[in-house]
Every structure is written in structure tokens, then in C-alpha cells.
Amino acid sequence: MTTGAVTTGALTTGASTTGGFGDYPALLDALHADVASDRFVASPSGRVLASARALGGDGTRRFTRFGLACVPAPGGSARDDVTAGRFGEGLLTLQREVVHRTLTHTIARLGERASEGTSLLTRPQLQADLADVAMELQEAAAEPAEETGRDVRWARHMRLTRAGRVLLRLLGGYSMLAEGPGVDLYLAEVTGNVYLQPEAGDGDV
């Protein structure tokens, strides 16, 4: 996995830039396989989110149209706390990479747009919003690598979710087009809601 930097004026943040929009289900499958030795990891509520392809196309319809499925955990799914902790940290890494990728895309797209002959990136409020997201990513990347409690992971997930929503607001309706970042941000948010919530339940499913 490569490490790069995004820079525009005072904005700089380092994170992986591997992959493209629409690959979140495949990345989630790879995380399951890596953490649980080719098994699925069950959420605290006893469900599994993975690609619709990996789960045979069954599951919640609202997700299958985006390539993701949510089903009761199959037999043999990993349920122990150690695996759940590693999986939770992996989910936060995926979410951070999706937000970083979206930040890069947002900067590039807004940089192509102008108002009264001036780039939109010169607007102070827009610069402040982008800088806040970049700072959140830097702080998230600096979090300790060792396993943390569920409350801490949940708080980190919510901060990244808010950062992603800022970018969606800046991009407007374009973000939900096929070539936009909206779907991956949505799936990362929903997956975190299911797996990282402090109390057992169905999260946002």
C-alpha cells in the first residue's frame, strides 16, 4: 500500500490513495479475509456486512444495489473480542482512506470550477472546511495503533463520518453519481455503524 500526500495551498495530509470509487465492498471482503482467516467477522448484533458477491447476493436490498449485503452471521463467523478489535481498527483505516480519497477528489473538482473568474478554492469558508477535514485525517492517522475500546473506536468513526459529510456538502449532488465518492462514504458510514457502535444493536441497518 502506497503513501502519498495531498497538497493545495495550506492543505496537506498523508494517506493511502490506493483504489478508486466503488471498490469499498471488495476492500471490506479483503479485510474480513485478512483478519478472520478467510471467515466473516460478526458484528455485536450478530450480523455480517460484506460484498453481495461474497454473501451470494442475499441481504438488505438497500445495500445490495451498492454491491454490499447485510445478513445474519453465517456459521463459523468470528465473534471473539480480539478479532472484533482488529476488524474495528481495519474498518477505521478503510474509512479514513475513503475520506482521504474524497478530499483529494473534492480539491481537484472544486479547483476546476470558478466563480467570476476566480477559483472556488480561494473562498475562505471553503478553504476552512477543507482544512478541517485535512486536520481530522491527520489526527486520525496519528491515533495509537494498539487496540482501543469500543467507545473510542465509535468516537473516531463518528469524527470521520462528519468529515465525509462535509465533503459531500461541498460536492453537492454530483457526489452521488456513479463516478462520485458518495456511495463509498455511505457504505463506510453504515458498516461502521453496525460494527463499531458501543452497544449491541443493528446500527443503521
Side-chain angles (χ1 to χ4, degrees), residues 84-197:
R86 291 181 58 208
F87 191 74
E89 291 297 322
L91 286 178
L92 289 169
T93 297
L94 286 184
Q95 187 177 20
R96 188 175 74 244
E97 291 177 351
V98 169
V99 175
H100 177 271
R101 188 188 306 168
T102 305
L103 174 62
T104 305
H105 182 79
T106 302
I107 292 170
R109 182 162 179 82
L110 295 181
E112 296 170 353
R113 300 176 60 189
S115 176
E116 299 179 351
T118 304
S119 170
L120 293 182
L121 289 178
T122 62
R123 293 184 175 181
Q125 184 57 56
L126 193 149
Q127 287 186 348
D129 288 340
L130 293 173
D132 285 345
V133 173
M135 182 63 68
E136 180 58 53
L137 287 170
Q138 289 179 334
E139 292 177 356
E143 292 281 351
E146 63 267 17
E147 181 183 337
T148 56
R150 288 175 62 183
D151 287 345
V152 174
R153 284 194 291 269
W154 176 252
R156 290 162 61 191
H157 166 63
M158 293 306 297
R159 292 200 304 270
L160 288 169
T161 294
R162 287 191 291 270
R165 290 180 176 181
V166 168
L167 298 176
L168 291 182
R169 174 174 55 80
L170 296 178
L171 288 170
Y174 161 81
S175 65
M176 294 307 294
L177 297 179
E179 67 272 23
V183 170
D184 280 353
L185 283 171
Y186 170 66
L187 295 180
E189 177 178 343
V190 167
T191 304
N193 288 350
V194 172
Y195 279 95
L196 301 176
Q197 57 186 313

Side-chain angles (χ1 to χ4, degrees), residues 11-126:
L11 299 176
T12 303
T13 181
S16 170
T17 56
T18 301
F21 297 129
D23 65 355
Y24 186 85
L27 293 173
L28 184 58
D29 286 351
L31 180 61
H32 277 288
D34 180 57
V35 170
S37 301
D38 294 322
R39 296 179 294 161
F40 294 113
V41 179
S43 74
S45 62
R47 304 185 71 82
V48 162
L49 268 74
S51 75
R53 183 174 183 177
L55 292 172
D58 296 326
T60 308
R61 184 175 298 277
R62 63 183 286 198
F63 302 139
T64 54
R65 62 195 175 107
F66 298 130
L68 201 69
C70 179
V71 301
S77 297
R79 300 172 183 268
D80 62 281
D81 290 342
V82 173
T83 301
R86 291 181 58 208
F87 191 74
E89 291 297 322
L91 286 178
L92 289 169
T93 297
L94 286 184
Q95 187 177 20
R96 188 175 74 244
E97 291 177 351
V98 169
V99 175
H100 177 271
R101 188 188 306 168
T102 305
L103 174 62
T104 305
H105 182 79
T106 302
I107 292 170
R109 182 162 179 82
L110 295 181
E112 296 170 353
R113 300 176 60 189
S115 176
E116 299 179 351
T118 304
S119 170
L120 293 182
L121 289 178
T122 62
R123 293 184 175 181
Q125 184 57 56
L126 193 149

